Amino acid sequence: QVQLVESGGGLVQAGRSLRLSCAASGSIFRVNDMGWYRQAPGKQRDMVATITSEGSTNYAEFVEGRFTISRDSTKNTVYLQMNSLKPEDTAVYYCNAYIVQRGALWSVSYWGQGTQVTVSS
């Protein structure tokens, strides 16, 4: 079994920063692409940022240079540093990873349970 466990969410004032973490654990052979997504109430889940196993990154336009995704492959962990937060960044943030389990032939997409980020004005 594989689990993704997120941490680092919370309530912050606009303009402040938060750092989210997501650690994958379990019967893992390899972790491929990892990413962060978010879902605000009544809206669809949107991609925020992704990072490949080689370190190539991709960001949503609304990030506008405020967020940075990174990973520590030795710990199977992905991070999202969020600066200059805005009230519209309020959402549940989900971690996603494509993981090849031991003994498996291909990767499977896994999701974390989500962590709430609330930005007050």
Side-chain angles (χ1 to χ4, degrees), residues 29-47:
F29 172 68
R30 185 177 64 246
V31 181
N32 293 337
D33 292 4
M34 304 183 82
W36 290 95
Y37 294 71
R38 72 185 190 186
Q39 187 167 20
K43 295 189 177 181
Q44 67 181 18
R45 188 174 297 187
D46 293 323
M47 186 273 290

Side-chain angles (χ1 to χ4, degrees), residues 4-81:
L4 297 182
V5 179
E6 298 131 334
S7 60
L11 171 63
V12 293
Q13 290 185 325
R16 303 297 293 268
S17 300
L18 275 177
R19 188 190 194 212
L20 306 182
S21 300
C22 171
S25 63
S27 181
I28 297 173
F29 172 68
R30 185 177 64 246
V31 181
N32 293 337
D33 292 4
M34 304 183 82
W36 290 95
Y37 294 71
R38 72 185 190 186
Q39 187 167 20
K43 295 189 177 181
Q44 67 181 18
R45 188 174 297 187
D46 293 323
M47 186 273 290
V48 176
T50 61
I51 185 167
T52 69
S53 56
E54 293 79 20
S56 296
T57 59
N58 183 43
Y59 294 94
E61 287 189 5
F62 57 74
V63 167
E64 300 172 326
R66 300 179 295 126
F67 297 177
T68 302
I69 189 170
S70 61
R71 66 190 287 171
D72 184 341
S73 295
T74 65
K75 299 179 180 179
N76 291 330
T77 299
V78 63
Y79 306 96
L80 186 67
Q81 177 67 43

